[in-house]
Amino acid sequence: VIRGVRVETLVPARHAVAVEARRGQSITIVDVKGKQVGDLCAVSLSDTSEYMDLTPTRLALSRLQLKEGDELLTNRRRPILRLADDPIGTHDMIFGGCDKYRYEVDFGITGHRNCQDNLLEALNSWVIDETTKQLAVREILNVFINQKLDEHGTFHLLEPVTRAGDSVTFKALIDAIVALSSCPESQSPCNGYKPTEMLIRVE
Ligand SMILES: [Zn+2]
């Protein structure tokens, strides 16, 4: 459990970390080495049955891409995070995160670390209903992922455009637990074939 006014913590490669952010605080995610995707989920601190939910978010935005100033909503359609500062602009709110089945089914690897289990582990320090937790870790924002939509409506997964030190900042609109997984996938361009660490800073 990491709490405090200002917290900066490393999210080791292939692992996740969760932090608490108070309403009004900013949450900055740094790609330390470059070309790394982070899977971000959030749960309300005052009522842990409320979590960031991308389905109402997509409906409210009526867009495939997030833009600076956009609000991410909860399962109760209340804003939980705002995309405050986004110099990179490549994120995804459609594809979800990797789970153990992604590696089993798509790559034939069992027991691979994955964002879903990482986020569940990171959220274990708080008392959150199991069903809510399972839903929250499926409703992730893929920070820095580079999914390009072509003119035929097909997405293409490319390497992230981020370089070492690039960052994105969200603003907490309610008190929240925010969990970030440094995606462990090395089998696709998702993380430039080499998962590395990230950093999360709350201030
Ligand atoms: Zn992942």
Side-chain angles (χ1 to χ4, degrees):
V1 185
I2 298 163
R3 297 187 176 98
V5 176
R6 187 184 190 278
V7 165
E8 183 173 289
T9 181
L10 205 68
V11 185
R14 303 179 177 85
H15 289 72
V17 164
V19 295
E20 288 185 4
R22 301 289 161 183
R23 188 163 69 96
Q25 285 194 302
S26 63
I27 302 140
T28 298
I29 294 166
V30 182
D31 184 353
V32 176
K33 300 240 171 90
K35 295 188 178 182
Q36 177 63 41
V37 165
D39 286 30
L40 184 78
C41 72
V43 177
S44 164
L45 198 52
S46 61
D47 178 352
T48 55
S49 66
E50 186 170 15
Y51 58 91
M52 184 172 82
D53 190 342
L54 297 178
T55 300
T57 302
R58 287 188 298 265
L59 177 68
L61 294 175
S62 297
R63 248 192 282 115
L64 293 176
Q65 295 290 334
L66 276 180
K67 287 184 187 165
E68 229 171 59
D70 281 351
E71 292 178 342
L72 295 140
L73 305 186
T74 69
N75 53 323
R76 294 180 199 155
R77 299 182 194 257
R78 291 201 304 160
I80 185 166
L81 298 177
R82 179 190 299 124
L83 183 58
D85 184 35
D86 183 25
I88 302 302
T90 57
H91 315 290
D92 158 74
M93 50 180 173
I94 301 167
F95 286 87
C98 63
D99 53 24
K100 64 178 178 181
Y101 305 109
R102 162 80 165 147
Y103 300 98
E104 284 178 18
V105 173
D106 295 342
F107 303 118
I109 305 167
T110 51
H112 196 289
R113 291 201 69 86
N114 60 85
C115 287
Q116 199 174 316
D117 288 334
N118 281 354
L119 293 168
L120 287 171
E121 273 172 29
L123 291 173
N124 267 341
S125 305
W126 289 266
V127 179
I128 304 172
D129 165 73
E130 193 54 38
T131 307
T132 305
K133 210 156 49 176
Q134 292 287 344
L135 290 167
V137 302
R138 292 206 75 84
E139 289 297 328
I140 59 93
L141 181 71
N142 279 304
V143 174
F144 300 140
I145 202 166
N146 191 9
Q147 290 274 14
K148 274 276 172 297
L149 185 64
D150 72 17
E151 67 274 24
H152 308 292
T154 300
F155 280 99
H156 302 274
L157 179 58
L158 308 176
E159 291 192 2
V161 297
T162 44
R163 290 188 281 192
D166 279 341
S167 66
V168 61
T169 300
F170 298 86
K171 177 84 84 179
L173 302 177
I174 57 174
D175 294 352
I177 305 157
V178 178
L180 180 74
S181 171
S182 290
C183 182
E185 185 163 326
S186 60
Q187 289 77 12
S188 79
C190 180
N191 302 304
Y193 298 96
K194 188 172 181 281
T196 52
E197 68 267 31
M198 302 185 94
L199 197 128
I200 187 165
R201 183 166 61 233
V202 177
E203 56 198 334

